[in-house]
Amino acid sequence: MGSSRIEARQQWQCPQGSPKILCLIADPFKNSVKLNAFWASLGSSLGITLLIAILFSLLRPYNNLVYAPKVKNSDERHAPPTLGRGIFAWVRPIVKIREPDFVDKIGMDATIFLRFTRMCRNIFLVLSVIGCLVMIPVNRASSQKSIATGQNAFFLMTPLFVWGPALWAHVVCSYLFNICIAFFLWRNYRAVTSLRRRYFDSPEYQMSLHARSLMVTQIPANSRSDEGVEHIVEKLGASPEHSRSIIGRNTKELPKLVEEHQQLVRKLESFLAKYLKNPDNLPTSRPRFSPPKSDKAGRGEKVDAISYLRDRIRLLEDQILHVRKNLDSRNALPYGFTSLDTVADAHILASAARRKHPEGATIQLAPAPKDIIWDNLPFTKSHRRWKKVRNQLWIALLTIVWIAPNSMMALFLSNLANLAEIWPAFRIDYYANPKTWAAVEGIASPAITSLIYLILPIIFRRLSIRAGDLTKSSREKHVVHNLYAFFVFNNLFIFSCFAAIWTYVAAVIEKGKKDSLWKAIEEGKLGETVFVALCNVSPFWITWLLQRNLGAAVDLSQGWNLFAVWFARTFMNPTPRQMIEWTAPPPFDYASYYNYFLFYATVALAFATLQPLVLLVTAFYFTLDSWLKKYLLLYVFITKTESGGLFWRVVFNRLIFAAIGSNVVVGLIVYVRGANPGLMAGVMVPAPLLMLAFKWYCRKTFDDQTHYFATSVRKDVDRETVSAAARKNERLATRFGHPALTKKLITPMVHAKAENVLKDLLNDDRNRGMSVGGDHRDIQLSGMSRTNKGKGEVQNNRGFEVVPEAKLDFAYFKDRPEFSEEHGGGLYGNPSDLVSERSQTPRSHLGGGFGSPESSRPGTPTGYGPRPVPFRPGTANSANLGIHPAYRDSPPPSRGRGVEDHLRPFPTTRSDSESRLLSGAGAMPVSTPGAREESMDRGGSRESSGGYMRWHGYGNVPQEPADDGTSYDYFRQPKR
């Protein structure tokens, strides 16, 4: 016993003659646990956090585009509470708003996330009281005075100098911790279940098509037809009179063509933005680049970038149209969808299908169409299993390979003095410029670490896609799983135990030279070595968690986004599309934030009895971030793909794992230092088993209610079916068809300042022998020139969308699918999955406007349609009343709206093809008063919408298939 007490006080000494690098590796974190580091971290964290909060409060009222973009863009239902212009006016709304309002304002995923942060706050507030009032006094009072005198205050809070019966306090506290964690988990599991039931009952969910639909995968070859899908579902009890089924069709290379088209359009916009940056002083030569290797015609020679990309885009549009028209309806894929009359019917069948696989098929609730990863649906079960195994092997390899870089960064990057010890050339410069290298040391380590934390989610997300995940929601849950495992293994276990493992292995090797290997292993005392190492590294985690508070404040300031946008606008050539996307609410990365919070909680629970002060620091962090994240989710971030709160089970399981890990640490403490090691360790055995039993109880009690609207026919379940008109208009084949079949192609955007130069640019293309006019099979009417009376307006800018500076705002484009899909489409009042009797109500062909059937691409959203203009004598309206609508001048553009007007629709600007075709013509006799206010759409390919010009396609190529043979529904059997 005495020798072990002496070993607890002694530090590992490097043997004489050993290489310096081995001595450093043996304890790479010894310089990170100084007492001064704690006070420095505490002061800097609190000071900088307070400074950032003050700057945010000062800047917020004048930068709503950055700090409250959802106020301007949300519809009335999803609009957050109004913000005043006072410095601290942002505090009151986030304090007053309650959880029942969250679901409508920010969605289920964000609501569950905020509940999770509050739960962590409450857990660690309670645990910190127990730890600080019980554990710290016990550890200090029970420390052996003979060896604890003069030790660091942090080490006196740990059980490093404690032996004997006093460690029963750790056993008791461990069970108290488990009870506290289980209570809060149970309480919140019950609350999440209630939220899910409310979500199921919401009109938005009840009216959505996917809520009453099933997804069938792994369909055998002999059942790959609409009737085959229906026959499979019928085996679960579905009635053919109340269901409608479709089979997936092979889209061939169409998705790749659509994706390539989008990439080339963005690349063309980039070249145009750079070339037309200063229209009055164009570069002497047009941009050139080397075509991709896939284009054999290019042969690696540099070509004119603008001309090549325009030609390539036109060719892709023709190919996309050809493929859409010539898809083989007999080429079916092994997946399909079935819609039923009620939500309850779909959920009952999905619940019954959990353990059944009729004809080998897998049946589950259909996800929202935008949530599906379509490329993964055709995979067979064996193919998907192999992809998962391969994915796990890659993740395991990445986790193991990362051990070396992680250790080297901790050894050298966080302390450049270690690098100077083994690198003589660097040592000279290091000691010659200490302040410079101190700054590098303070910036490089957190910068590189932060960059790695940004890259890791991207890597795991791509690996999850390749693993065959069927939905984006399941992919994100797997990202959380993989990130958490990676962080716990590398950043917690390896980081904390590296010195102990290295020392133990070195000692075993050294003793193995003299005695037998088994005896060397026994005398190495692995448990004692690991325990001492954990106590030694515990102060580091306190300082590390203190610095996380600074990260929470940086999130509030949106500093990184501000810097990135400023840098791109100042030093680069952003395209109009990029500038529009910058003004959109950014998506919230749930996978990354869940992983961070779970990792912080795991670290705190692992060191709860080793260093109780870590509980207090963690409680402070979650208290601060629970309020800051509430503001960010209410006013800044959006949920890109809503899962309905299905992240809860993932975080629940990992908190159970963290609690069990805490029990294992306590078991190690009492086994190494307890008065009766066998008895005390045996008392700890039931603790993790009880947590597993609690997990099983919650799964049996809540999971069915959480995942299914109904699992059996009950009288209290609403059996109201959808109307016949709604069933007719649900467009199952279109909504659950591959997006490449109906997705509208995007048009290259050009800044309005370059419109005149763009005309000359296209004329230059014509002189080069290129076709820019498009399809001339129909007669097209051009507008009259405003400057040359009686002359037609020159229209050479076909195939481009000219956007003025005043319209470079997401508010004008939020209803466009190409923008809303990436920035939370349902937030703006136009969810694409709702089904009603008016789901297919066509717009008036007299009004034209956004999304009209004549448009090959969507125009800018302009609010409601044209309204009758009241007659007022002596006004411009009365002057135009007797003039044919085609000769009338367009009304002046409306003023932009401010944040306070975010609920008002944008004023409508009618199409030029309706109102300004002859506005520049000579005078004509006054016609009979009372002429029609609206004119018929004359099929022109040019449109004015929202104050800027659009030209539909390079050759008026239809981007949305018509119903006569080009739509996805065309290839189906006759409707029943």
Side-chain angles (χ1 to χ4, degrees):
M1 179 72 70
S3 61
S4 62
R5 294 181 182 183
I6 296 174
E7 288 174 2
R9 184 175 179 179
Q10 292 176 340
Q11 296 291 336
W12 185 82
Q13 300 295 328
C14 182
Q16 291 184 354
S18 299
K20 187 66 176 178
I21 181 64
L22 297 181
C23 299
L24 293 174
I25 290 177
D27 193 2
F29 314 115
K30 61 185 178 183
N31 292 308
S32 301
V33 294
K34 300 174 183 177
L35 180 62
N36 293 337
F38 168 77
W39 297 112
S41 295
L42 178 63
S44 62
S45 176
L46 294 180
I48 298 177
T49 299
L50 182 61
L51 177 62
I52 290 176
I54 293 174
L55 290 176
F56 164 78
S57 301
L58 294 174
L59 294 175
R60 182 202 58 80
Y62 309 100
N63 293 274
N64 282 320
L65 189 64
V66 176
Y67 295 117
K70 291 173 67 174
V71 171
K72 183 177 183 180
N73 295 300
S74 302
D75 66 347
E76 184 174 5
R77 179 184 177 187
H78 299 92
T82 304
L83 283 173
R85 298 187 67 86
I87 295 179
F88 298 106
W90 61 278
V91 177
R92 183 179 177 84
I94 66 174
V95 172
K96 292 186 63 177
I97 192 169
R98 293 294 180 261
E99 188 174 73
D101 299 324
F102 283 162
V103 177
D104 288 339
K105 303 298 182 184
I106 59 180
M108 271 293 293
D109 281 339
T111 302
I112 298 299
F113 180 84
L114 291 178
R115 171 163 281 277
F116 169 71
T117 58
R118 294 196 305 274
M119 180 188 70
C120 290
R121 176 198 65 190
N122 296 336
I123 287 176
F124 286 104
L125 282 174
V126 176
L127 295 188
S128 63
V129 172
I130 299 174
C132 294
L133 297 183
V134 177
M135 300 299 298
I136 292 179
V138 168
N139 289 338
R140 289 187 65 93
S142 304
S143 296
Q144 298 293 327
K145 301 297 188 294
S146 58
I147 59 176
T149 304
Q151 290 296 322
N152 191 307
F154 278 116
F155 295 131
L156 294 178
M157 298 179 188
T158 71
L160 182 62
F161 308 110
V162 179
W163 283 266
L167 293 175
W168 280 109
H170 290 254
V171 176
V172 174
C173 285
S174 180
Y175 275 94
L176 290 177
F177 288 171
N178 280 10
I179 293 172
C180 176
I181 294 170
F183 169 75
F184 281 106
L185 285 175
W186 169 80
R187 184 184 179 198
N188 283 275
Y189 216 137
R190 189 176 60 174
V192 168
T193 302
S194 299
L195 286 172
R196 285 283 294 175
R197 302 308 301 176
R198 180 184 174 189
Y199 170 74
F200 287 146
D201 292 331
S202 64
E204 191 174 56
Y205 184 82
Q206 290 289 325
M207 293 175 62
S208 61
L209 177 60
H210 77 274
R212 55 182 175 85
S213 299
L214 301 173
M215 181 171 69
V216 187
T217 56
Q218 315 298 328
I219 300 175
N222 58 356
S223 298
R224 293 177 186 174
S225 64
D226 295 350
E227 291 77 9
V229 176
E230 194 161 292
H231 179 67
I232 291 174
V233 178
E234 285 176 8
K235 292 187 176 182
L236 294 175
S239 173
E241 292 81 12
H242 300 287
S243 63
R244 184 184 180 197
S245 303
I246 61 164
I247 189 70
R249 304 294 177 183
N250 191 348
T251 55
K252 300 180 181 179
E253 70 276 13
L254 185 59
K256 293 182 179 179
L257 292 176
V258 174
E259 179 65 22
E260 183 183 1
H261 178 275
Q262 182 172 339
Q263 293 176 357
L264 292 182
V265 167
R266 287 181 174 271
K267 185 177 291 187
L268 175 60
E269 291 174 343
S270 178
F271 278 114
L272 288 172
K274 183 176 181 180
Y275 182 68
L276 302 176
K277 181 178 181 180
N278 186 358
D280 297 328
N281 186 20
L282 294 177
T284 55
S285 60
R286 287 162 57 115
R288 302 178 65 84
F289 85 123
S290 298
K293 296 181 179 179
S294 58
D295 186 1
K296 298 180 180 180
R299 296 182 180 179
E301 298 179 358
K302 287 192 174 183
V303 297
D304 184 283
I306 298 175
S307 300
Y308 173 85
L309 291 173
R310 294 190 66 244
D311 280 343
R312 181 62 181 161
I313 292 171
R314 274 196 297 269
L315 177 62
L316 283 175
E317 289 187 353
D318 292 337
Q319 289 178 336
I320 291 170
L321 176 62
H322 175 76
V323 174
R324 283 175 172 174
K325 283 185 175 181
N326 295 280
L327 285 178
D328 187 357
S329 61
R330 297 167 297 179
N331 192 355
L333 294 175
Y335 68 87
F337 298 88
T338 296
S339 69
L340 295 105
D341 283 349
T342 67
V343 174
D345 289 340
H347 283 240
I348 290 172
L349 291 178
S351 177
R354 285 178 291 178
R355 300 175 183 86
K356 298 179 181 179
H357 296 274
E359 298 187 20
T362 300
I363 302 176
Q364 57 188 309
L365 287 173
K370 64 178 297 186
D371 191 23
I372 298 174
I373 303 177
W374 294 93
D375 293 341
N376 290 346
L377 283 181
F379 293 154
T380 62
K381 186 178 297 184
S382 59
H383 189 194
R384 185 173 288 110
R385 186 184 300 114
W386 163 242
K387 290 176 74 71
K388 288 183 178 179
V389 171
R390 186 177 60 182
N391 181 65
Q392 292 302 319
L393 290 175
W394 276 111
I395 292 175
L397 179 62
L398 177 62
T399 303
I400 295 173
V401 169
W402 184 247
I403 294 176
N406 188 34
S407 302
M408 293 301 104
M409 283 194 301
L411 175 62
F412 297 118
L413 194 58
S414 61
N415 192 350
L416 293 177
N418 289 339
L419 183 61
E421 290 292 327
I422 64 171
W423 188 1
F426 174 71
R427 185 187 312 157
I428 298 174
D429 191 67
Y430 177 78
Y431 289 109
N433 303 283
K435 293 183 179 180
T436 301
W437 288 112
V440 172
E441 182 179 304
I443 296 174
S445 181
I448 294 178
T449 303
S450 300
L451 181 62
I452 292 170
Y453 287 175
L454 291 174
I455 295 175
L456 280 176
I458 298 174
I459 295 174
F460 285 120
R461 193 168 285 116
R462 292 186 177 181
L463 288 174
S464 297
I465 293 176
R466 295 182 179 180
D469 285 327
L470 299 182
T471 64
K472 299 172 185 175
S473 299
S474 63
R475 177 196 67 192
E476 293 302 298
K477 288 188 289 185
H478 289 154
V479 171
V480 174
H481 169 79
N482 294 327
L483 274 175
Y484 179 75
F486 181 91
F487 271 59
V488 169
F489 180 77
N490 267 295
N491 296 352
L492 178 57
F493 177 74
I494 295 297
F495 189 93
S496 300
C497 301
F498 186 86
I501 296 173
W502 183 272
T503 303
Y504 174 76
V505 172
V508 168
I509 294 175
E510 188 67 25
K511 292 180 180 180
K513 297 178 180 179
K514 303 176 182 179
D515 302 320
S516 64
L517 180 61
W518 180 252
K519 185 177 180 180
I521 292 175
E522 289 181 339
E523 294 181 354
K525 298 181 180 179
L526 177 61
E528 179 75 22
T529 305
V530 171
F531 168 70
V532 172
L534 291 176
C535 290
N536 287 336
V537 80
S538 60
F540 166 80
W541 289 111
I542 297 178
T543 59
W544 186 82
L545 286 170
L546 279 173
Q547 294 172 357
R548 299 310 96 194
N549 298 316
L550 181 59
V554 170
D555 285 343
L556 179 67
S557 70
Q558 292 293 289
W560 171 252
N561 291 339
L562 285 173
F563 173 78
V565 172
W566 169 82
F567 183 85
R569 284 180 175 271
T570 306
F571 301 103
M572 302 178 70
N573 304 294
T575 66
R577 189 180 306 277
Q578 290 173 330
M579 289 189 280
I580 293 170
E581 291 172 342
W582 289 339
T583 63
F588 189 75
D589 190 353
Y590 287 98
S592 296
Y593 282 104
Y594 269 127
N595 170 67
Y596 297 152
F597 287 5
L598 287 170
F599 182 65
Y600 303 158
T602 303
V603 170
L605 292 176
F607 287 88
T609 54
L610 289 169
Q611 179 53 270
L613 199 59
V614 76
L615 296 172
L616 185 62
V617 174
T618 307
F620 175 73
Y621 171 80
F622 280 114
T623 301
L624 175 66
D625 218 17
S626 63
W627 294 105
L628 299 186
K629 287 298 185 292
K630 182 187 289 188
Y631 174 87
L632 291 174
L633 287 170
L634 271 173
Y635 293 98
V636 180
F637 290 109
I638 52 97
T639 300
K640 182 177 178 181
T641 304
E642 180 69 50
S643 72
L646 295 181
F647 279 99
W648 169 251
R649 190 172 176 180
V650 176
V651 299
F652 174 86
N653 290 337
R654 272 130 198 90
L655 282 179
I656 293 290
F657 171 82
I660 293 175
S662 178
N663 299 152
V664 172
V665 173
V666 174
L668 173 66
I669 296 173
V670 298
Y671 180 76
V672 171
R673 295 292 183 86
N676 191 339
L679 176 62
M680 299 180 76
V683 171
M684 286 302 304
V685 171
L689 298 179
L690 290 174
M691 293 303 295
L692 292 176
F694 169 73
K695 176 185 180 303
W696 178 85
Y697 162 77
C698 289
R699 182 170 66 88
K700 288 293 184 181
T701 305
F702 299 114
D703 276 9
D704 283 350
Q705 300 178 58
T706 303
H707 290 120
Y708 299 103
F709 177 72
T711 56
S712 60
V713 178
R714 304 199 316 267
K715 294 182 180 181
D716 58 334
V717 175
D718 186 7
R719 302 291 301 171
E720 182 180 356
T721 61
V722 294
S723 65
R727 289 284 291 175
K728 181 179 179 181
N729 293 334
E730 68 183 13
R731 297 181 296 169
L732 182 66
T734 300
R735 296 176 187 269
F736 280 110
H738 198 294
L741 292 165
T742 55
K743 185 176 183 178
K744 296 180 179 181
L745 304 183
I746 63 177
T747 304
M749 287 183 167
V750 180
H751 199 285
K753 67 181 181 181
E755 182 176 8
N756 294 330
V757 180
L758 182 63
K759 178 183 65 175
D760 298 334
L761 185 68
L762 300 184
N763 287 335
D764 185 47
D765 280 346
R766 180 182 290 108
N767 295 333
R768 294 166 182 258
M770 297 177 56
S771 172
V772 298
D775 192 351
H776 299 284
R777 290 175 294 180
D778 299 326
I779 298 176
Q780 306 290 331
L781 295 180
S782 300
M784 301 300 293
S785 173
R786 287 173 178 258
T787 56
N788 299 323
K789 294 295 184 181
K791 301 294 184 181
E793 184 176 37
V794 179
Q795 294 191 31
N796 289 330
N797 297 355
R798 291 188 181 276
F800 290 92
E801 187 172 343
V802 182
V803 188
E805 181 72 27
K807 302 296 180 181
L808 294 176
D809 192 329
F810 179 74
Y812 296 97
F813 298 85
K814 61 185 180 182
D815 291 328
R816 296 260 292 266
E818 60 192 275
F819 292 98
S820 64
E821 287 177 0
E822 295 296 321
H823 299 281
L827 179 69
Y828 317 114
N830 59 338
S832 59
D833 195 33
L834 296 187
V835 177
S836 66
E837 296 183 9
R838 297 179 59 84
S839 295
Q840 283 187 315
T841 302
R843 294 176 183 267
S844 172
H845 68 281
L846 295 176
F850 169 69
S852 60
E854 294 81 21
S855 300
S856 61
R857 292 181 173 84
T860 300
T862 55
Y864 299 114
R867 301 177 181 177
V869 181
F871 173 75
R872 293 188 178 91
T875 64
N877 291 335
S878 63
N880 284 335
L881 187 59
I883 304 177
H884 190 277
Y887 286 86
R888 294 177 188 156
D889 290 327
S890 299
S894 61
R895 295 179 297 173
R897 62 176 190 166
V899 174
E900 64 278 3
D901 299 322
H902 68 278
L903 297 181
R904 274 184 274 169
F906 289 102
T908 300
T909 304
R910 295 182 308 181
S911 173
D912 284 356
S913 61
E914 301 174 36
S915 60
R916 208 182 56 79
L917 281 174
L918 304 176
S919 59
M924 63 172 292
V926 177
S927 62
T928 304
R932 288 191 339 185
E933 182 67 19
E934 310 293 343
S935 63
M936 297 290 291
D937 184 7
R938 305 186 182 273
S941 60
R942 184 178 175 216
E943 174 185 298
S944 173
S945 183
Y948 67 90
M949 313 304 294
R950 286 184 56 83
W951 286 267
H952 295 150
Y954 288 97
N956 287 336
V957 177
Q959 308 305 327
E960 184 173 11
D963 291 336
D964 55 347
T966 59
S967 70
Y968 189 78
D969 196 68
Y970 173 76
F971 300 105
R972 297 184 62 257
Q973 300 293 332
K975 301 178 182 177
R976 288 177 293 275

